[in-house]
Amino acid sequence: MPNEKLMELLTTVGKSALLLAVCLAVMAVLLKLTTRLFQKTKLDSGVQGFLRSALKDALWILTLLIVADSLGIPVNSIIAILSVATLALSLSLQNILTNVFSGITLLISRPFVAGDFVEIGGVSGTVKELTIMRTSLDAPDNRLILIPNADVAAAKITN
């Protein structure tokens, strides 16, 4: 009787290990395809890195859920906990996420590039840098102005 339970456990662990290897191989292929796709697009490297990282994280979570299910761990409660935690996190980081998605929108639409002299919501300067979180302007009076991307996306931009 104990040998049967041990064999069953070893079989389950072996199948789960094989499933993990398959998931990791699929993940590697999907990430390579994504990298190739990004190389063919004109997306900013910051946006590419953000999207690739988000995809990788999502694939890891999916892989862990698949392997946990194959080991007999109930994943419904894990998914429920992850959903609640994600909701709480997104609500607490709402302003940051707004800036990130506004930054992605600005990087894709490119209303201005580094070196352009712009007026954004009544503030003028030469664009020094556009990142995921903020836009940096060098003002004519040698001040560095940092504007959150949510403000930039909502403002009237004169280029």
Side-chain angles (χ1 to χ4, degrees), residues 31-32 35 38 47-57:
L31 290 173
K32 278 188 181 182
T35 301
F38 284 158
V47 175
Q48 289 180 18
F50 175 77
L51 292 175
R52 190 174 192 286
S53 177
L55 175 64
K56 187 176 180 180
D57 291 345

Side-chain angles (χ1 to χ4, degrees), residues 66-121:
I66 290 170
V67 172
D69 187 52
S70 74
L71 287 170
I73 299 170
V75 295
N76 291 342
S77 57
I78 295 172
I79 292 172
I81 290 169
L82 284 175
S83 298
V84 170
T86 302
L87 177 62
L89 184 65
S90 65
L91 287 174
S92 66
L93 299 175
Q94 186 175 5
N95 289 338
I96 293 172
L97 292 174
T98 301
N99 283 323
V100 168
F101 287 112
S102 295
I104 290 171
T105 302
L106 291 170
L107 288 167
I108 290 172
S109 65
R110 296 185 183 268
F112 51 81
V113 294
D116 286 354
F117 186 84
V118 296
E119 181 178 328
I120 300 172

Side-chain angles (χ1 to χ4, degrees), residues 96 99-100 102-104 106-107 112 127-137 144-152:
I96 293 172
N99 283 323
V100 168
S102 295
I104 290 171
L106 291 170
L107 288 167
F112 51 81
V127 177
K128 181 177 181 180
E129 183 180 35
L130 172 60
T131 65
I132 293 285
M133 294 291 292
R134 67 176 181 267
T135 300
S136 303
L137 298 180
L144 177 63
I145 302 169
L146 304 175
I147 308 170
N149 283 336
D151 294 347
V152 174

Side-chain angles (χ1 to χ4, degrees), residues 31-47:
L31 290 173
K32 278 188 181 182
L33 288 173
T34 304
T35 301
R36 286 184 189 162
L37 178 67
F38 284 158
Q39 289 172 349
K40 293 179 182 179
T41 65
K42 295 180 180 180
L43 284 178
D44 184 83
S45 62
V47 175

